[in-house]
Amino acid sequence: MLSASLFALGYAGSALAQQVPPAAAESQEESPAPDAPGDIAVPTPPPADVTLPEVEPIIGDDEFDDAIPPISAEDDPELDRPLESIAEFERRQAAARAADASSDGDAPPSADGTPVPALADGDAVEAIGDAPITDSELAAPLPALENFNVEPVEFAEPEEADAHRTLEYTVQVNGLAGADATTGVDLADLFGDLSALYDGDGKAENGAMIRARLSGDAELLQRILASEGFYDAKVETRIDRTPRTEDAGADGESRARRRRGPLTAVIDVTPGQRYIFSSIAIDAKPTVPPTLISDYFPLSVGEPIVAERVQGAEAALALKLPEEGYPFATIGQRDILLDGASGTGDYTLPVDIGPRARFGGFETTGDLAFDADHVETLSRFKRGDLYDSRMVDDLRQALVATGLFSTVAVEPQKTGEDAGDDTEYVTMLVTQDAGPPRTMAASAGYGTGEGIRLEGSWTHRNLFPPEGALIVRGVAGTQQQGIGATFRRSNAGRRDRTFELVAEASRNNYNAFEALTGRLAARVSVESTPIWQKKFTYSYGAELIATSEDDYDFARGVRDRDLYYIIGLAGQVGMDRTDSLLDPTKGFRVTALVQPEGSLSGKFTPYARTRLDVSGYYPVTDSIVVAGRVRIGSILGAARERLAPSRRFYAGGGGSVRGFGYQELGPKDPNLDPIGGRSINEAALEARYRFGNFGVVGFVDAGQVYRGSTPTFSDLRFGAGIGARYYTNFGPMRLDVATPIDRRPGEARISVYVSIGQAF
């Protein structure tokens, strides 16, 4: 690079020599060599007989003169002043330096006559003051020589190239006690839940990782303190290393050596003052009623500025305004102006309440499962009602409960149509995305006396729109087989009402009876679903049954088969005040069933089946629930022999009295097979303990079936056992093992029950 630069400079000098007059060229040739080693001599121009090429000027003289602005002595008087000589310029500079130095004293001049700045005070030797000592260890006196540790430094063995070192550390947070006492919040515990240092379990790959975690946790603590109103909090960090001593053997002798102990990541906190609200201003137009915003905005002047309360107050306002007729209300960006001197803050919140509105009509868009008319059937509001977002959420939930959508949304749309009373109508826009309408499902269970039971179904949920479903199901088990089809119209004519037509054929083979049954039934009901649990339920309907069943004939001493034709009505009402359909933990349920029926076999025999079920649930602790159940039933109007065996009462099994086989309790024939009765009473008590997704249940059941129509509560049989639960998002899976108390001949020692859902 140097040679290339010199070559370029030489060429420039040659070109320059071509432009100067000969006299100037000769003076250049006679110029003496440079004295300073850093000077660069101008190369000798080429001989006169060498003809250099002519160079075309880049800018002409005329153009150059035009580009230069005119300058005259009138514009700048300095132009007429003659230039000073170099010697005079140097004298003036030296005088200026001497004047500056004289302000601090006489300073001896340097070799060239200029004062030396370092000795400007006239001292021959400049004294340098001691630097301030900031480390107390440096100012400490040296230890006595006899106490000085002269042990040689021991160097660690070189580590393998692939050795993995892990640094251990502890965490120490100082200064949070005062803030905890002021706020009533365990800030140290909150910090521990979010801390990167604590999350590292006291181990890190290297020191840089510890420092990074420490820095991040310092910012975390700053945010936590600010969220509680400590905006001036100071958080300082450091890493301390504590020495530790251990024994190490050498030639059979023990000696102590000091090693570098674990690190301590220290965070020192100074919370400072806690800021409070000095003023609260809500910038919004008047509402109806006028105190709507102030009534539901819980912040007040004088209380600490706590982020959680501020956000909660704003969320409450954003929730309440749409519930009171303002669907388009929006909460703006808050502004809190802090005053560090007084420790106060001025809070301002802009709120755009938008127009007050009433419900208008419905519109649908997207991939439709049904039209706007059926959407109106599902709604619990009518045109002209004041807008209430809770009703909109209810409609959205009802749409989801149909099971017909992948996604569905309900949003108000402005219409500008006047609804009177300073309100306007809004249209509810339902955006539909129809989901797959077909579903296949299967379930399995086992019970002592019932055997294995497998059930599968195929459902088209919208084969006959709107919400007209076809369900085909089949049962395959060791003691029960069947097939059936159901047409079900959900939300039939009104919200929550269901109409069903059922046709099925089944075979049941139990110790109590063996039956081949065909059934036709129609029913109207309002019932709970896993998504929509209702406080009150009811159903009514009719059914026609043809069944061939065997029964024990006491007069002949043999089992005989008979054909029964039964026509009946059914009505049921229920009250549910529990907190869950499949896994209740508190509340109660009451269900009453009445079934007037008549046997068409031979002489018409009318009778009525009645039953009452009551269950209650009490949470002892967050993880322990005590549950109880009582059932009473009676058949009035017909002798037991006139009843088809399948229409009598039986007890025993997983949904009845555990510890006994299915239908095992009650009157028996000489072969000890159950024959059923006309009345029943049952009771159960459970203690349910849940831990995470698992649970353990201890239970005691009791019950009996009687020949007469009135339960006497005598000769009760008891069963006791233990169960396991696995809780899923669709309900608990149940495994119960029970044994009868005071077991009798023919009764199993252990009974096992497997199903989905709690026993009651």
Side-chain angles (χ1 to χ4, degrees):
M1 292 296 292
L2 180 59
S3 61
S5 300
L6 293 175
F7 175 80
L9 184 59
Y11 182 80
S14 301
L16 180 62
Q18 183 183 8
Q19 305 298 327
V20 299
E26 291 176 1
S27 65
Q28 289 178 4
E29 290 178 1
E30 296 175 356
S31 299
D35 296 332
D39 294 341
I40 301 175
V42 178
T44 304
D49 57 347
V50 177
T51 303
L52 297 177
E54 293 184 2
V55 178
E56 185 78 16
I58 298 175
I59 301 176
D61 293 338
D62 296 336
E63 183 179 355
F64 179 82
D65 293 338
D66 294 336
I68 296 176
I71 300 177
S72 64
E74 296 178 357
D75 298 325
D76 189 356
E78 292 292 326
L79 294 177
D80 288 339
R81 182 176 298 174
L83 294 176
E84 63 180 339
S85 65
I86 296 299
E88 192 162 355
F89 173 80
E90 290 177 349
R91 282 194 301 270
R92 184 166 56 83
Q93 291 295 321
R97 285 193 295 270
D100 293 338
S102 64
S103 61
D104 296 327
D106 296 330
S110 62
D112 59 357
T114 60
V116 178
L119 305 178
D121 55 1
D123 294 339
V125 178
E126 186 71 20
I128 301 176
D130 293 335
I133 299 175
T134 59
D135 191 340
S136 60
E137 291 294 331
L138 295 177
L142 294 175
L145 186 60
E146 60 271 14
N147 296 331
F148 186 72
N149 185 5
V150 294
E151 285 188 11
V153 177
E154 296 185 8
F155 296 95
E157 292 293 330
E159 294 186 283
E160 298 290 337
D162 57 347
H164 180 73
R165 296 184 59 193
T166 300
L167 293 180
E168 297 181 356
Y169 66 89
T170 58
V171 183
Q172 180 179 332
V173 181
N174 304 319
L176 282 181
D180 287 352
T182 303
T183 62
V185 179
D186 192 345
L187 299 180
D189 184 65
L190 176 60
F191 170 72
D193 292 339
L194 304 174
S195 166
L197 286 169
Y198 283 115
D199 191 52
D201 295 328
K203 295 181 181 180
E205 298 296 329
N206 49 53
M209 181 178 291
I210 299 177
R211 286 190 292 271
R213 293 175 182 174
L214 186 58
S215 176
D217 279 3
E219 295 179 3
L220 171 64
L221 259 179
Q222 201 86 41
R223 293 196 301 271
I224 290 175
L225 290 166
S227 70
E228 291 294 330
F230 298 99
Y231 292 101
D232 294 335
K234 296 181 180 179
V235 179
E236 298 178 345
T237 63
R238 67 179 187 274
I239 297 178
D240 290 346
R241 183 185 292 276
T242 57
R244 65 185 180 188
T245 303
E246 69 174 18
D247 291 334
D251 298 331
E253 296 181 357
S254 177
R255 60 186 179 84
R257 68 176 181 181
R258 295 176 63 83
R259 293 186 56 207
R260 302 173 73 187
L263 301 174
T264 302
V266 182
I267 303 178
D268 294 320
V269 180
T270 304
Q273 63 179 339
R274 195 181 193 193
Y275 283 69
I276 63 174
F277 288 113
S278 58
S279 66
I280 296 177
I282 307 298
D283 183 10
K285 294 180 179 179
T287 60
V288 180
T291 61
L292 176 60
I293 292 179
S294 59
D295 288 346
Y296 293 96
F297 195 75
L299 298 182
S300 59
V301 173
E303 72 171 90
I305 305 176
V306 179
E308 186 176 5
R309 282 193 46 81
V310 171
Q311 294 171 348
E314 294 172 359
L317 200 57
L319 181 67
K320 193 61 185 178
L321 286 171
E323 291 178 355
E324 298 295 331
Y326 296 93
F328 307 106
T330 57
I331 307 300
Q333 179 61 47
R334 78 183 75 88
D335 180 66
I336 302 180
L337 181 61
L338 301 177
D339 184 353
S342 61
T344 60
D346 296 327
Y347 175 87
T348 304
L349 181 68
V351 178
D352 182 6
I353 62 174
R356 195 162 181 250
R358 298 184 181 275
F359 288 113
F362 294 89
E363 292 182 4
T364 59
T365 185
D367 184 8
L368 303 185
F370 42 73
D371 56 20
D373 291 339
H374 192 64
V375 173
E376 185 175 1
T377 300
L378 295 176
S379 67
R380 297 188 188 275
F381 53 83
K382 61 182 183 295
R383 179 179 173 87
D385 289 347
L386 186 66
Y387 183 91
D388 188 340
S389 61
R390 291 168 293 189
M391 293 293 99
V392 178
D393 293 338
D394 175 82
L395 174 58
R396 184 183 299 107
Q397 189 174 8
L399 291 167
V400 172
T402 65
L404 297 178
F405 301 101
S406 294
T407 59
V408 62
V410 183
E411 297 175 327
Q413 302 290 316
K414 293 181 180 180
T415 64
E417 182 182 356
D418 183 31
D421 195 21
D422 292 329
T423 62
E424 68 176 52
Y425 287 111
V426 293
T427 296
M428 302 310 301
L429 177 64
V430 179
T431 303
Q432 304 181 30
D433 183 9
R438 299 171 182 83
T439 301
M440 297 186 68
S443 63
Y446 172 80
T448 301
E450 295 176 271
I452 299 174
R453 187 177 188 276
L454 304 175
E455 181 174 348
S457 64
W458 174 91
T459 303
H460 193 301
R461 296 187 300 278
N462 204 28
L463 185 61
F464 309 100
E467 295 193 77
L470 177 64
I471 305 167
V472 179
R473 72 182 189 94
V475 177
T478 54
Q479 295 177 263
Q480 183 181 14
Q481 304 85 39
I483 189 171
T486 301
F487 167 75
R488 182 181 64 204
R489 174 80 72 187
S490 300
N491 299 301
R494 54 162 293 184
R495 167 82 173 266
D496 300 330
R497 182 167 61 189
T498 301
F499 172 73
E500 288 183 330
L501 285 176
V502 180
E504 60 184 12
S506 62
R507 175 181 180 272
N508 298 279
N509 185 13
Y510 302 112
N511 292 336
F513 60 86
E514 192 271 334
L516 296 174
T517 304
R519 176 174 173 265
L520 295 175
R523 189 175 73 134
V524 176
S525 64
V526 174
E527 295 180 330
S528 294
T529 67
I531 296 179
W532 193 267
Q533 184 177 357
K534 301 174 179 63
K535 294 182 178 180
F536 296 97
T537 60
Y538 67 86
S539 66
Y540 58 88
E543 60 183 349
L544 177 63
I545 300 173
T547 178
S548 174
E549 303 180 8
D550 66 340
D551 190 17
Y552 187 82
D553 189 338
F554 282 88
R556 298 169 52 196
V558 295
R559 297 190 71 88
D560 194 13
R561 179 174 290 275
D562 202 352
L563 184 61
Y564 300 87
Y565 297 98
I566 302 168
I567 186 171
L569 303 175
Q572 177 175 297
V573 294
M575 177 186 295
D576 189 346
R577 293 303 178 92
T578 62
D579 59 342
S580 173
L581 186 65
L582 296 178
D583 184 27
T585 59
K586 62 180 179 180
F588 66 91
R589 291 173 180 163
V590 179
T591 304
L593 172 69
V594 178
Q595 293 178 302
E597 296 180 355
S599 175
L600 303 179
S601 300
K603 182 181 178 181
F604 179 74
T605 305
Y607 58 91
R609 304 174 77 244
T610 61
R611 192 181 71 210
L612 177 66
D613 291 275
V614 180
S615 60
Y617 311 88
Y618 179 75
V620 179
T621 67
D622 291 340
S623 56
I624 298 177
V625 175
V626 175
R629 176 184 72 90
V630 174
R631 170 179 289 177
I632 299 175
S634 177
I635 300 177
L636 306 172
R640 181 180 60 83
E641 292 74 14
R642 296 291 299 170
L643 300 173
S646 62
R647 309 304 288 174
R648 303 169 188 170
F649 285 124
Y650 298 88
S656 178
V657 182
R658 287 163 290 185
F660 300 91
Y662 181 65
Q663 299 179 337
E664 189 174 23
L665 295 180
K668 292 182 172 58
D669 63 19
N671 299 320
L672 299 181
D673 290 329
I675 57 176
R678 292 195 296 155
S679 62
I680 184 175
N681 52 239
E682 293 177 355
L685 183 65
E686 286 190 351
R688 303 171 180 174
Y689 172 63
R690 177 172 179 174
F691 49 97
N693 290 329
F694 298 91
V696 177
V697 176
F699 57 85
V700 177
D701 294 352
Q704 189 56 277
V705 175
Y706 306 96
R707 292 179 180 270
S709 60
T710 303
T712 62
F713 300 95
S714 62
D715 192 27
L716 290 176
R717 300 299 310 280
F718 294 88
I722 190 170
R725 303 289 185 269
Y726 176 67
Y727 294 89
T728 67
N729 56 359
F730 55 84
M733 298 184 67
R734 175 167 66 105
L735 170 63
D736 288 339
V737 179
T739 185
I741 298 176
D742 190 19
R743 187 175 65 90
R744 298 176 182 177
E747 295 175 346
R749 292 182 180 274
I750 299 295
S751 297
V752 179
Y753 314 95
V754 180
S755 66
I756 297 176
Q758 298 284 10
F760 56 90

